[in-house]
Amino acid sequence: MISSACVLVLALTTLTSCATQGGTTPPATSNGTSGPASPTESAPATGTTATSDPASPGATGTANADELCGPGSTINFDSGEFQESPNLDNKWFSLKPGSQYTTTGEVKSADATTKRTVTHTVTGLTKVIDGVKTLVMWDRDYADGELVESELAFFAQTKSGTVWLFGEYPEEFENGKFIGAPNTFIHSIDEAQAGIAMQAEPRTGTAEYVQAHAPSVDFLDCGKVLQENQRVCVPTGCYEDVLVIDEHNPLEPAVGHQRKFYSAGTGLVKVTAVGGADQETLDLVKVEQLSDAKLKEVNQEAMKLDEHAYTVSKDVYGKTPKAEVTTETTGGQ
């Protein structure tokens, strides 16, 4: 099951050619990006090349000395480097409570094509994980109009601007019925480690980095800045200065790579696939800021999901403090 977790901002962005579109940043979905069936060629990168460490400059604590995604990919995690209260304003990966993004596309396999719709909603909930207060995302994934996954994902930003993913609780459904959440992972439980969802200053030429690692569920996402200054058109408009991130999971080499396209001030606008048996594509089709009443409903539904998780995932999710409603209006945190 492809999990959806991921991330956006509310800021106006300048669009050219197709349209002029203002937007907030859609959550970058984790989507179980998996590993290369064979090494894929990187398209020529444009923009300034840098050699800075992909980890947060202020992160000094080494959670694991392993370079899981290759040279330079050691996870440098330091809980003291995170904000006391989550304020995710990274220009590529901003999250504001009440922001909602809809992406649509399809998954092509050898024997079928499935239409896919993912709704990403930034809730007003926070959850403390390993001493860090994270912001809660709620993603709903539909295949041919039927809900197949409802997921909570947890993000926090360091003081220097790097956004980290702390875990995911993805409930799965089949024929409309709940069938479990076997791919749940939470940082610091069962050797799971938080990883970088978006660097503070992503640049081509830098080392690959770990986006999250959970050995108990064979989860390992690796990211690398592939291109800068690209132009991409999707239903919400045309975006300049697009950043392209290549993602894969070395533990699942048959799945291939995902390419995720981020626009400054808007966030994730497009997803494409390279290699793998299932070819998934997604485009941003709608960005909206929910009313206070709608945010209240979202908070209530996300809290129900949080509560249900304690009965479904007692050994993992059950070890975390309960989520709390900290934002009830879209005016800010």
Side-chain angles (χ1 to χ4, degrees):
M1 179 63 226
I2 295 174
S3 83
S4 353
C6 307
V7 117
L8 347 165
V9 187
L10 221 74
L12 292 178
T13 186
T14 302
L15 309 177
T16 59
S17 290
C18 294
T20 299
Q21 176 69 36
T24 38
T25 310
T29 58
S30 259
N31 289 349
T33 53
S34 17
S38 59
T40 56
E41 293 186 3
S42 299
T46 59
T48 304
T49 298
T51 56
S52 58
D53 189 328
S56 164
T60 56
T62 301
N64 189 325
D66 293 339
E67 295 182 325
L68 298 168
C69 295
S73 66
T74 301
I75 298 174
N76 294 305
F77 177 85
D78 184 352
S79 60
E81 286 297 317
F82 289 87
Q83 305 162 340
E84 290 185 10
S85 183
N87 177 29
L88 283 82
D89 59 1
N90 180 303
K91 71 177 182 179
W92 304 106
F93 205 94
S94 299
L95 297 175
K96 179 180 178 181
S99 299
Q100 185 166 275
Y101 314 85
T102 303
T103 55
T104 64
E106 58 185 19
V107 179
K108 290 184 178 180
S109 61
D111 54 1
T113 296
T114 302
K115 293 188 179 299
R116 187 168 177 229
T117 299
V118 184
T119 302
H120 318 272
T121 308
V122 187
T123 75
L125 274 56
T126 59
K127 190 177 187 71
V128 175
I129 297 176
D130 194 24
V132 177
K133 185 176 285 189
T134 69
L135 185 62
V136 181
M137 290 286 309
W138 179 31
D139 290 351
R140 284 158 290 173
D141 192 342
Y142 300 85
D144 290 336
E146 183 177 280
L147 180 68
V148 293
E149 185 174 275
S150 180
E151 174 185 274
L152 298 179
F154 312 96
F155 297 93
Q157 184 174 302
T158 65
K159 298 168 187 175
S160 56
T162 298
V163 178
W164 288 65
L165 170 65
F166 278 70
E168 299 175 356
Y169 172 70
E171 290 196 346
E172 298 178 10
F173 297 83
E174 192 172 279
N175 298 322
K177 295 183 179 180
F178 170 70
I179 59 173
N183 295 313
T184 300
F185 73 91
I186 299 291
H187 168 72
S188 77
I189 300 174
D190 284 350
E191 300 183 349
Q193 296 169 277
I196 296 173
M198 181 59 69
Q199 298 167 314
E201 297 183 3
R203 293 288 184 272
T204 54
T206 54
E208 204 162 352
Y209 53 92
V210 178
Q211 296 181 313
H213 180 222
S216 64
V217 295
D218 293 329
F219 186 101
L220 172 60
D221 272 4
C222 299
K224 184 175 179 61
V225 181
L226 185 67
Q227 292 176 299
E228 299 177 71
N229 302 320
Q230 301 299 297
R231 182 174 184 275
V232 171
C233 291
V234 293
T236 51
C238 291
Y239 300 82
E240 305 290 341
D241 301 325
V242 169
L243 175 74
V244 185
I245 305 292
D246 181 88
E247 300 183 359
H248 69 101
N249 179 354
L251 303 178
E252 297 181 357
V255 180
H257 287 230
Q258 276 191 334
R259 300 276 168 83
K260 293 183 179 178
F261 298 73
Y262 295 86
S263 174
T266 302
L268 185 70
V269 297
K270 190 177 187 66
V271 178
T272 62
V274 177
D278 296 329
Q279 298 284 301
E280 177 191 35
T281 59
L282 290 170
D283 288 337
L284 181 65
V285 298
K286 187 178 183 181
V287 180
E288 60 184 317
Q289 186 68 23
L290 302 178
S291 66
D292 290 350
K294 285 292 185 181
L295 177 58
K296 183 177 181 180
E297 291 178 14
V298 163
N299 288 344
Q300 291 172 343
E301 292 302 313
M303 282 295 292
K304 290 178 184 178
L305 197 54
D306 178 76
E307 292 171 5
H308 190 221
Y310 286 94
T311 63
V312 174
S313 178
K314 296 178 181 178
D315 294 336
V316 177
Y317 204 92
K319 295 179 180 178
T320 67
K322 291 188 176 182
E324 297 180 341
V325 176
T326 57
T327 304
E328 297 183 293
T329 68
T330 57
Q333 291 175 275

